[in-house]
Amino acid sequence: MNPRPEQDDTVEVVIDRVDKVYPGGVTALRGVSLRIGRGMFGLLGPNGAGKTTLMRLVAALERPTRGEVTVNGIPVTRRPSWVRGLLGYLPQDFRAYDKLTPREFLDYVALLKGLDDPRRRRREIELLLEQVGLGRSIRSRIGTFSGGMRQRLGIAQALLGGPPLLIVDEPTAGLDPEERIRFRNLLAELGLTRTIILSTHVVADVEHSCSELALLIGGRVAFRGTPDALISRAVGKVWEVEVDPGEADRVRATHRVVSSRAASGGGLALRVVGRDAPPGGARPVRPTLEDAYMVLVGEAVGFGK
Amino acid sequence: MRTFLALLAHEARLLFTWALPLATAGSTLILILVIETGSPEILPLLKTDPGLALSMADRLVLRVVELAAPIVGVLAVSHATSLDVDAGTAELVGSMPRWTPGVILRRAAAGFLMLTLSLVFIVLAARLVTGLEFSLDRPFLALPPSVFLAGLGLVVSAWTRSHAAGLAAALGLWVMDLIRPGMCTGPLYLFQAGRPPCCQTAGLDLCPNRLLLCAGAAFLVALSSWLYSRRGLSR
């Protein structure tokens, strides 16, 4: 049996008015609608915003309470195995069997993905292990791996079989800056021919690799569009201001602090977002994606601390 | 077939724990000691009444194997459903296109294969070391109760998502049936094959009983794979 569907790199995911309410009444998603096509799509949001729930719905690991998720027009709940056949999935808390070697683990995953040809499996596994920088650890047990090595193994298993739809949840967690950039570039390259949904807290990952993004706050879509469009929403709401250390709390009460550093005059140089300029000679600055993210979160839950 | 065997080998690798060869080695040692202790009664009979002597030897061996095999079986199989919870891989396995309940069916098959190989080792080693030519096939009457107990362990592990709970349920029933045969299990009694006829409690004949245990084990394995796939999706 080969559970893989016909190879088609064009995958469109449509999330249509989806609600997800867990037993006990916790609402994770409310009326979420998104259309995700080829390329890299970033999913940003604070903890508990519903990003992981949304990923799990697309991966057919959960069912929506209301609404529908379709892949190429086919409801995920109706043909979950077919959808999983298109899918490479890296869960947020990726773990592997400690007693196996990376080659054994990837071979097991490849078999579960329906890659029945042993020669193809072997070739692909060796290539992927080289690609993620685990070529030298091929005979070590996974139990001896560092956090970064495990994460790279997780990325390798998601890429096995060249899936046309990749769902990666916090993929760069635990990677050092060089690895993070390398992986980001790899994803951007893969995004030319397939659909990739990238969920992350790291705004820079989305800024450098995604052509479109959605911002989830409290289970709702607070923004959907290009990074530039998100940045333009923050124009006139980002300031830099120098304050005495004792006055910083006063600014924090009405504004969200994006960054703070020691200023040359002995005070604190704060970069803040808010509806109005903070008092004390603040000057407006050009927003970045991180500023824009903070502005939207602030607008949803309040700017003060 | 090749893919199935490759998957089976991986499942066996995942299920393997050092407790399994340790339990097998311990059981072999106990069986050898029991035969050596019982030999003074059996060996003289071999000259006068060889049929009776071998029947006594068979019963002796089966009694020990009936005690050992369930432990080996439960150790080999009962953590198949909790393995992914313990390893944190349940979500990953659940996202794979291959039929999810098949994971447990394959793991159960791999575990039962390891149990059978352990039993073959115990019986052959005991026969080789003691030189007593007891029946080679009769000890395998202990397989059905072992797979039944292992199946029970699987169901409880899948339900509670805890290996410890599965072990406790399977070994609890094992102890209960040892103390009071048939009290909890009725016609599914586990430990009467090795007892002399005068000690057996009323119930089904051995053959239907073993068939019933096999059917019960098949049902429990199927139930556990269903529970595994359902609980994996509804977290």
Side-chain angles (χ1 to χ4, degrees):
Chain A
M1 181 199 75
N2 184 358
R4 287 182 64 74
E6 292 290 306
Q7 191 74 28
D8 179 0
D9 283 350
T10 310
V11 169
E12 188 183 50
V13 178
V14 176
I15 299 156
D16 185 22
R17 286 166 290 174
V18 162
D19 291 353
K20 177 67 187 177
V21 183
Y22 284 107
V26 177
T27 304
L29 295 172
R30 302 159 201 257
V32 171
S33 292
L34 291 169
R35 185 178 287 267
I36 303 167
R38 183 186 292 186
M40 267 189 80
F41 187 90
L43 205 54
L44 278 173
N47 283 334
K51 301 188 299 292
T52 296
T53 300
L54 192 59
M55 299 283 213
R56 287 174 58 84
L57 291 176
V58 180
L61 287 163
E62 294 195 45
R63 289 166 179 273
T65 311
R66 270 179 296 277
E68 195 172 59
V69 179
T70 60
V71 173
N72 285 356
I74 294 166
V76 166
T77 47
R78 200 180 302 161
R79 292 182 65 189
S81 291
W82 179 82
V83 172
R84 288 178 196 143
L86 295 170
L87 183 69
Y89 180 55
L90 175 64
Q92 186 176 28
D93 181 23
F94 168 75
R95 308 263 281 282
Y97 306 104
D98 285 352
K99 61 164 74 168
L100 300 187
T101 65
R103 179 185 272 163
E104 288 168 344
F105 174 70
L106 289 182
D107 192 59
Y108 181 58
V109 171
L111 284 163
L112 291 180
K113 283 191 173 188
L115 303 177
D116 292 342
D117 180 356
R119 267 180 301 184
R120 184 188 161 195
R121 280 205 310 273
R122 198 182 169 82
R123 210 172 39 238
E124 211 172 309
I125 287 167
E126 280 172 8
L127 196 72
L128 276 170
L129 284 172
E130 284 298 330
Q131 210 169 356
V132 298
L134 289 175
R136 286 184 184 173
S137 313
I138 209 157
R139 287 192 178 84
S140 313
R141 299 230 176 262
I142 296 168
T144 64
F145 278 16
S146 67
M149 288 166 87
R150 282 169 192 263
Q151 196 67 4
R152 282 186 270 156
L153 181 65
I155 292 158
Q157 66 77 26
L159 295 175
L160 259 176
L165 173 61
L166 262 177
I167 296 181
V168 283
D169 203 352
E170 303 288 350
T172 54
L175 300 184
D176 63 38
E178 193 188 342
E179 285 173 328
R180 169 172 284 170
I181 290 167
R182 194 163 63 150
F183 178 61
R184 212 159 60 190
N185 293 339
L186 173 67
L187 278 185
E189 211 173 289
L190 292 167
L192 294 174
T193 54
R194 63 198 80 210
T195 304
I196 302 177
I197 307 177
L198 164 74
S199 162
T200 182
H201 289 104
V202 185
V203 179
D205 283 351
V206 172
E207 190 169 20
H208 289 106
S209 51
C210 295
S211 48
E212 279 199 285
L213 66 95
L215 177 57
L216 279 181
I217 300 173
R220 293 181 198 278
V221 179
F223 173 85
R224 192 234 188 279
T226 62
D228 285 343
L230 180 57
I231 289 170
S232 68
R233 293 268 297 261
V235 173
K237 292 173 183 168
V238 189
W239 289 273
E240 274 186 357
V241 61
E242 271 189 46
V243 295
D244 290 334
E247 290 175 8
D249 274 352
R250 199 162 47 84
V251 176
R252 284 194 191 102
T254 52
H255 291 74
R256 285 197 166 233
V257 178
V258 182
S259 67
S260 61
R261 60 183 165 77
S264 50
L268 270 177
L270 301 178
R271 187 181 180 95
V272 299
V273 298
R275 285 195 183 87
D276 309 303
R283 58 185 178 84
V285 289
R286 184 198 289 262
T288 63
L289 193 66
E290 195 172 31
D291 298 328
Y293 170 84
M294 294 293 274
V295 167
L296 260 77
V297 172
E299 282 175 351
V301 298
F303 283 103
K305 64 179 176 181
Chain B
M1 190 61 187
R2 209 164 150 187
T3 303
F4 176 74
L5 289 176
L7 273 167
L8 206 63
H10 281 303
E11 304 294 7
R13 203 171 285 136
L14 288 174
L15 282 178
F16 179 83
T17 61
W18 285 105
L20 194 63
L22 281 177
T24 305
S27 304
T28 311
L29 193 66
I30 290 168
L31 181 57
I32 291 167
L33 289 174
V34 166
I35 292 173
E36 295 289 352
T37 316
S39 293
E41 287 175 31
I42 297 168
L43 290 177
L45 273 176
L46 277 172
K47 288 175 190 159
T48 54
D49 191 346
L52 178 64
L54 285 176
S55 161
M56 283 172 70
D58 286 350
R59 210 179 290 281
L60 197 67
V61 171
L62 184 53
R63 281 199 73 179
V64 176
V65 173
E66 266 194 334
L67 295 180
I71 298 176
V72 177
V74 168
L75 284 175
V77 183
S78 66
H79 59 305
T81 46
S82 55
L83 200 138
D84 290 309
V85 176
D86 296 338
T89 49
E91 187 161 336
L92 185 71
V93 174
S95 73
M96 297 294 158
R98 214 173 268 280
W99 192 52
T100 312
V103 173
I104 297 308
L105 297 180
R106 279 193 305 275
R107 281 185 192 165
F112 293 151
L113 193 67
M114 289 198 281
L115 164 67
T116 309
L117 289 176
S118 296
L119 217 53
V120 168
F121 176 83
I122 293 170
V123 171
L124 285 180
R127 203 165 125 140
L128 205 70
V129 171
T130 61
L132 190 65
E133 294 194 339
F134 53 82
S135 158
L136 279 178
D137 55 347
R138 204 169 149 73
F140 288 91
L141 283 173
L143 268 179
S146 309
V147 295
F148 180 82
L149 283 170
L152 178 71
L154 271 179
V155 169
V156 176
S157 293
W159 179 253
T160 58
R161 299 173 76 91
S162 154
H163 181 209
L167 270 181
L171 294 179
L173 182 64
W174 177 70
V175 170
M176 291 284 278
D177 213 74
L178 272 181
I179 298 168
R180 296 285 299 273
M183 188 183 75
C184 301
T185 48
L188 284 170
Y189 59 83
L190 307 171
F191 302 111
Q192 289 200 14
R195 287 163 190 270
C198 62
C199 299
Q200 290 190 5
T201 54
L204 282 178
D205 288 341
L206 190 63
C207 187
N209 163 272
R210 301 287 113 157
L211 287 174
L212 209 58
L213 282 174
C214 287
F219 170 74
L220 290 173
V221 170
L223 179 64
S224 64
S225 35
W226 179 76
L227 281 172
Y228 171 84
S229 58
R230 267 192 68 83
R231 288 185 78 80
L233 290 178
S234 63
R235 244 181 339 144

